[in-house]
Amino acid sequence: MLITTDQLYHKFQECTGISTDTRRITPDCLFVALKGANFDGNQFAEQALAEGARYALVDDVTVADRNPQCLLVSDGLTALQDLARHHRQTLTIPVIGLTGSNGKTTTKELIAAVLSKKYLTYATVGNLNNHIGVPLTILSLNEQHELAVVEMGANHQKEIELLCSIAQPTHGLITNVGKAHLEGFGGIEGVRKGKGELYDYLAQHGRTVFINSRDKTLMAMYRERLKTLRSDTVFAEAIFYPAVEAAAVEAAAVESSETPIELLQESPVVIYRDSAGQAITTHLPGRYNFENMTGALAIGDYFGVSPDEANHAIADYNPTNNRSQVIPKGTNTVLLDAYNANPSSMAAAIRQFAATPAKRKAVILGDMYELGTESEAEHTALGKLIAEGKFDLVILAGKDMQYALPFLPKAYYFPDKFSLHNWLMDNPMTDTHVLVKGSRGMSLESVVPFI
């Protein structure tokens, strides 16, 4: 017999947590059996129970019939999402929803670091930001948490809409709109529409939005919603950072962040001047990370975190997740930004690195994925941009990086990483700043031991 969402929630309350992976079973957790193209979690339900799970949520009647601890639903993924929605409705804490083409995870970590100075804050763990990860994040919240920061990723339209229906954010921020997941979104306008689904939710439910006033695309998206939505469905507040532009004051409730900061240095790491005139040195490079910092500081200011504590949180944040990591390697310095890449983030990183003062500079760049029919054109454009950087050494890896080669006659090109690793071992670098960046599927962090 199928279990209802309400019945399932009562069972969930008996559990200590939730897991979709038998390698991560904790005592008395709820195991959720999910299915994919090459796996069926139902086949691992009894293993999960044997390893200590209290219940297993399954959608295979034959598995459910074998064990009374198996809870039968018609679809495991849908049941997981419905369970998360049910749990979210029991929570009264602020939930900050966060999306964007680039910088989501770094911004999420910075926001969480700032808010944690005053509140017991829970933030998305790692990159659990999709149709499975967001429900797991929501179900990890309990009555002790005072604030939540939920990262929402998407590679097609209507996905952010779905994630908003689960996370039900009370506040939200879009980092930017760029050329990411073009294949799934159907082009840059599709990306704009898809990311804008967060603004749609916040406006339609009278919630608070944080907007980077220096981002013309985000400002335009905000104004569009003011014009098209009915007067009874508009943002509760629009908080602009780092300042309110005169043209932005169109809403009934518009405020400015009380944290005016100024960028003093963007490489090799960001240094900014805070509202009290102090210079704050961070561990993150680049103007793009400065934009992430301003968002985190604006949210901290809104929630009453003192400027001193917020600045300490930003200054202390040191990434360890293959994003904007500065790694000393002998006489070399590696800027590892290999968690992901798309044309927008790649261009920002290359321009930033080109402006970085260094005796000798090298770039090791890998393919940008999920560009569909635009891949050849985007990798070609990237070749032109790399050439403008006038780097001392250019190393390219991956199938589509071949399209960048016509503009880089002195570049070294490797279709596979094995050849790249061997070349790096045979040609050691010294006194060199090295940028390493590529899409997740390239896993270019593997080159660091060879530099």
Side-chain angles (χ1 to χ4, degrees), residues 3-6 8-9 57 73-89 131 135 138-139 162 165-166 168:
I3 191 170
T4 67
T5 300
D6 189 57
L8 175 58
Y9 190 66
L57 186 66
V73 293
S74 57
D75 181 83
L77 176 59
T78 300
L80 173 66
Q81 294 170 344
D82 289 343
L83 179 63
R85 282 192 194 91
H86 189 101
H87 182 58
R88 174 66 184 93
Q89 290 165 4
H131 60 295
I138 295 299
L139 290 167
L162 168 68
S165 77
I166 297 168
Q168 300 167 32

Side-chain angles (χ1 to χ4, degrees), residues 173-321:
L173 178 146
I174 300 176
T175 58
N176 48 58
V177 174
K179 294 180 178 180
H181 306 293
L182 294 179
E183 185 174 21
F185 277 111
I188 188 64
E189 281 305 311
V191 177
R192 193 177 190 269
K193 185 175 180 181
K195 298 300 182 184
E197 289 164 12
L198 175 57
Y199 282 0
D200 292 335
Y201 179 91
L202 296 170
Q204 290 162 4
H205 292 81
R207 305 303 191 186
T208 297
V209 63
F210 296 88
I211 302 174
N212 183 345
S213 61
R214 289 186 291 211
D215 190 309
K216 293 180 180 179
T217 299
L218 296 179
M219 290 296 294
M221 290 167 63
Y222 164 71
R223 292 192 188 100
E224 287 165 8
R225 281 150 182 83
L226 293 186
K227 293 175 182 176
T228 59
L229 292 168
R230 300 191 310 274
S231 60
D232 60 336
T233 55
V234 72
F235 304 103
E237 295 174 287
I239 313 298
F240 292 86
Y241 63 92
V244 173
E245 293 182 348
V249 186
E250 301 174 15
V254 175
E255 295 184 19
S256 174
S257 164
E258 295 300 323
T259 316
I261 63 174
E262 177 188 359
L263 178 62
L264 299 178
Q265 173 186 302
E266 53 187 284
S267 62
V269 294
V270 167
I271 300 176
Y272 67 86
R273 180 182 289 120
D274 71 355
S275 57
Q278 298 181 82
I280 309 299
T281 301
T282 74
H283 294 283
L284 295 171
R287 181 174 293 272
Y288 47 92
N289 274 316
F290 175 66
E291 300 294 331
N292 299 336
M293 294 171 198
T294 62
L297 290 168
I299 289 176
D301 178 64
Y302 177 87
F303 284 102
V305 179
S306 74
D308 279 347
E309 290 192 315
N311 287 325
H312 279 303
I314 299 293
D316 289 344
Y317 175 68
N318 200 350
T320 57
N321 52 10

Side-chain angles (χ1 to χ4, degrees), residues 10 15 65 67 81 111 130 150 238 248-249 254 265 269 301 328 330 333 367-368 380 405 451:
H10 285 295
C15 299
D65 286 344
N67 195 311
Q81 294 170 344
I111 292 170
N130 64 4
V150 180
V249 186
V254 175
Q265 173 186 302
V269 294
D301 178 64
T333 299
D367 277 355
M368 301 177 291
T380 299
L405 289 175
I451 296 174

Side-chain angles (χ1 to χ4, degrees), residues 383-403:
K384 296 178 184 177
L385 183 62
I386 297 168
E388 292 171 6
K390 295 181 170 56
F391 300 111
D392 298 286
L393 176 62
V394 176
I395 301 172
L396 306 178
K399 177 177 66 69
D400 285 359
M401 274 297 177
Q402 64 181 301
Y403 301 121

